[in-house]
Amino acid sequence: VAHVGVGLYPLAIAYDPSNGYIYVADYGSATVSVIDPSNNAVISSIPVGRWPIDIAYDSLNGYMYVADYGSAAVSVIDPSTNAVIVNVTTGTYPGNILYDPSNGLIYVANAGSGSISVMNSSTNAVIANIADSMKPVHIFYDPSNGHLYVINHNSSIISIIDPSTDSIIAEITVGREPVDMIYDPSNEYLYVTDHGSNAVSVIDPSINAVIANITVGADPGDLVYD
């Protein structure tokens, strides 16, 4: 029904339920485009750090958090003004950002530093850094146990973080080059696409172990739960 022109190389998108707008991280333009769905038009272009690669909405304070891959920082956007209110320094090459609804904290995967930065969204400051030397690239929240599951770049290891202690409590070996993960609320299992193994690993979080491997097509990428 429409094609909306944004900045260069849009890589991530988030919805703000408070104002109904769509926020798009434009990797090549160092901007976040704000789209009004009522007329499918860009109403604002917000300058952020270099190479914005991911974006997350914080329901606690209503802000948008943008991982600036090339700036080793997170840009915090106030949607009421559509402006950056602070830039928070993280580790190098922050590539994925996650809001944890159970504690209101922001988690940032720093592939270059081998760490996960923990941000307090009330103060917009980093309060902890969790060491993960295997280049963390994606973080996923499991509502069944409150743990965070981290995919590591070019690795077959999933790191498990307990947010109550800000530490890695276990590691799970899956197939080669895992790239995506979803939670299935019907059985409380986690499903991981193993890009290099042409398979999906099924994890039971109650025992933190792979209970099945499902062969799929070549080079599986994203997953979705219906």
Side-chain angles (χ1 to χ4, degrees), residues 129-153:
N129 282 287
I130 305 168
D132 185 348
S133 59
M134 291 181 290
K135 295 186 178 180
V137 288
H138 293 293
I139 313 172
F140 301 87
Y141 172 72
D142 185 340
S144 70
N145 59 17
H147 291 164
L148 305 178
Y149 290 75
V150 182
I151 288 178
N152 296 289
H153 181 62

Side-chain angles (χ1 to χ4, degrees), residues 149 158 172-175 184 186-192 194 200-215:
Y149 290 75
I158 304 293
I172 303 173
T173 300
V174 293
D184 183 339
S186 68
N187 59 18
E188 298 188 342
Y189 291 161
L190 298 169
Y191 292 78
V192 183
D194 302 321
V200 170
S201 297
V202 185
I203 296 173
D204 182 348
S206 67
I207 58 174
N208 280 328
V210 173
I211 59 171
N213 288 286
I214 306 168
T215 300

Side-chain angles (χ1 to χ4, degrees), residues 14-49:
Y15 170 72
D16 184 342
S18 67
N19 59 19
Y21 295 157
I22 306 294
Y23 290 75
V24 183
D26 304 318
Y27 183 86
S29 300
T31 57
V32 169
S33 297
V34 185
I35 298 173
D36 182 350
S38 67
N39 57 10
N40 285 321
V42 172
I43 59 170
S44 181
S45 181
I46 307 169
V48 292

